[in-house]
Amino acid sequence: MTTIKRDDSKQKWEETEFPLVCETCLGDNPYVRMTKEAHGKKCKICEIPFTVFAWQAGTRGRLKKVEICRTCARSKNVCQVCIYDLQYGLPVQVRDKILAEEGCKDALTAVPQSDANRSWMTAQTERDIEQGKAIQGCVPTNSAAAMKLQSMARMEPRYERNLPKMCSFFAKGECNRGSLCPFRHEMPKDRNDPLAKQNTKDRFFGTNDPVAGGMMRRQKEKAEKRRAELKARGGEGDERAVSTLYVRLTDDGSSQKRITEADFRDKFYSFGEIISVRMHADKGAFVEFSTPQATQHAIASANRSTIGGRKVFVNWARVPKRGAISAGPQPTPGVAGGGGGIR
């Protein structure tokens, strides 16, 4: 039975039956027992009391609690605990930066300072969520943004994020609990590590997030390394083919089925008119469409999918510079969708 809130200020207090969390934060144990506390604390974003859920994140994980209310999490399409994007598993700062670079609507919103304006914003957000408008700025609206986000997606569970925090007494040499201590007995590597100074609001709004900064720095280093490899292969490097993609087949030993040209055509015919399919031994194939738009749509939709039970990576093919030994498009070296150069 729903309780009646007599106080007007309590009308917007949030009551939910289940948290909005990612697979990583739930932990590796399929049987999760949660505690529920109605209006247990204030949301760190909108400062409105909400239902607090707590559970042990896996067999070796620590106790986890939700940090923000469900309304704020749905407005940004993020986990209530780690504040990571639920669709791509990326920090908000990384996702918003890619959306802004690719011409999509920015998901950054400003939280009002007064109680009345915060209540109004929460009511508007809830209404937009019911109408399906709340997360339009959190998802890609064009294939270029979707392809870039998908190439950086981290959807595999990372349960190491659930490990207990380090024991401060052990670091001082004073912990006498031994194996019964619920914290990790490890020495801190760097006292000035920026990862130890994360802030929930910064992660939610995508500002000054050290995890996002590290990911974008590594992505930039990969891009520079890729350009250097392309330049070393010939002149200023290869240019992207106009309407040809390369499909790289993975060999994990789980499927021994040989993939044929017909399998590639069945996979990609729905994205547009196919001009040709050229097999690249048993490593993959080049698929040429009639338009660049069809190629881009196929890359965004088929990358990291499966063909005949084998996982595939899809990316633009490269046209070699004049004077190169091999003729025709080549795979993109050093990226998920490429398979190195044709030897």
Side-chain angles (χ1 to χ4, degrees):
M1 180 177 178
T2 305
T3 59
I4 300 175
K5 305 186 187 71
R6 300 182 182 277
D7 192 344
D8 291 339
S9 63
K10 297 181 181 180
Q11 292 296 323
K12 295 301 180 182
W13 288 15
E14 187 178 87
E15 294 182 356
T16 55
E17 296 298 327
F18 197 80
L20 186 66
V21 295
C22 61
E23 184 178 356
T24 296
C25 290
L26 282 176
D28 56 353
N29 187 358
Y31 304 101
V32 180
R33 177 178 292 181
M34 294 185 178
T35 61
K36 176 183 174 182
E37 182 182 3
H39 314 141
K41 64 178 180 180
K42 291 183 178 181
C43 173
K44 293 186 178 181
I45 306 302
C46 64
E47 298 185 4
I48 292 178
F50 68 104
T51 304
V52 177
F53 295 89
W55 65 95
Q56 184 178 3
T59 53
R60 298 175 58 242
R62 66 179 185 272
L63 183 70
K64 284 203 165 186
K65 293 183 179 180
V66 293
E67 301 294 336
I68 63 175
C69 67
R70 188 181 178 92
T71 301
C72 291
R74 290 178 68 185
S75 67
K76 281 279 194 177
N77 195 32
V78 295
C79 171
Q80 284 186 260
V81 181
C82 63
I83 326 294
Y84 276 27
D85 181 77
L86 291 172
Q87 184 174 359
Y88 297 102
L90 297 172
V92 174
Q93 185 173 347
V94 175
R95 182 197 66 189
D96 289 354
K97 185 175 185 296
I98 294 175
L99 292 177
E101 290 176 349
E102 300 299 333
C104 298
K105 180 183 177 182
D106 194 2
L108 187 63
T109 57
V111 176
Q113 299 299 318
S114 66
D115 295 338
N117 287 339
R118 273 199 300 267
S119 299
W120 178 86
M121 187 198 72
T122 303
Q124 289 292 109
T125 302
E126 290 177 349
R127 186 178 67 179
D128 289 342
I129 288 174
E130 296 299 328
Q131 297 177 355
K133 299 179 181 179
I135 62 173
Q136 288 182 358
C138 305
V139 295
T141 55
N142 57 56
S143 56
M147 184 175 62
K148 194 168 182 179
L149 286 170
Q150 194 173 21
S151 65
M152 295 182 63
R154 302 166 60 181
M155 298 311 299
E156 295 295 330
R158 303 171 66 89
Y159 296 126
E160 64 272 12
R161 290 187 356 217
N162 300 333
L163 291 175
K165 297 181 179 180
M166 295 183 183
C167 179
S168 59
F169 290 93
F170 177 80
K172 299 175 183 178
E174 300 175 358
C175 184
N176 55 8
R177 293 186 177 183
S179 60
L180 298 178
C181 183
F183 300 96
R184 279 187 296 162
H185 281 190
E186 297 179 7
M187 294 298 293
K189 298 179 181 179
D190 185 6
R191 295 183 180 274
N192 298 321
D193 188 0
L195 295 179
K197 301 176 182 179
Q198 300 184 56
N199 182 277
T200 301
K201 279 192 174 183
D202 289 343
R203 290 161 64 185
F204 182 83
F205 292 114
T207 57
N208 303 323
D209 186 354
V211 177
M215 288 186 62
M216 291 186 290
R217 184 175 61 254
R218 289 190 296 270
Q219 189 72 9
K220 185 178 179 180
E221 292 174 354
K222 287 182 180 180
E224 292 176 353
K225 182 180 179 181
R226 186 161 62 245
R227 284 194 294 267
E229 291 178 354
L230 292 172
K231 187 175 181 179
R233 289 176 54 197
E236 297 297 327
D238 297 346
E239 295 181 354
R240 193 176 71 180
V242 176
S243 56
T244 305
L245 58 82
Y246 179 72
V247 186
R248 179 169 68 87
L249 297 169
T250 59
D251 188 11
D252 55 2
S254 60
S255 177
Q256 301 296 328
K257 178 183 176 182
R258 183 178 180 84
I259 309 301
T260 63
E261 179 180 336
D263 295 325
F264 286 104
R265 289 186 177 273
D266 291 341
K267 179 69 176 180
F268 292 98
Y269 82 95
S270 60
F271 301 112
E273 181 183 358
I274 298 177
I275 302 299
S276 65
V277 176
R278 283 174 287 174
M279 301 297 294
H280 179 204
D282 194 33
K283 300 178 181 178
F286 296 95
V287 181
E288 182 180 0
F289 288 89
S290 58
T291 61
Q293 292 77 13
T295 309
Q296 193 173 45
H297 181 44
I299 294 173
S301 303
N303 188 32
R304 298 177 184 268
S305 62
T306 57
I307 298 179
R310 296 176 64 177
K311 188 174 181 179
V312 297
F313 293 99
V314 188
N315 205 342
W316 290 95
R318 297 280 170 175
V319 177
K321 288 289 185 180
R322 184 174 299 177
I325 298 176
S326 300
Q330 296 185 355
T332 304
V335 295
I342 299 179
R343 303 184 184 276

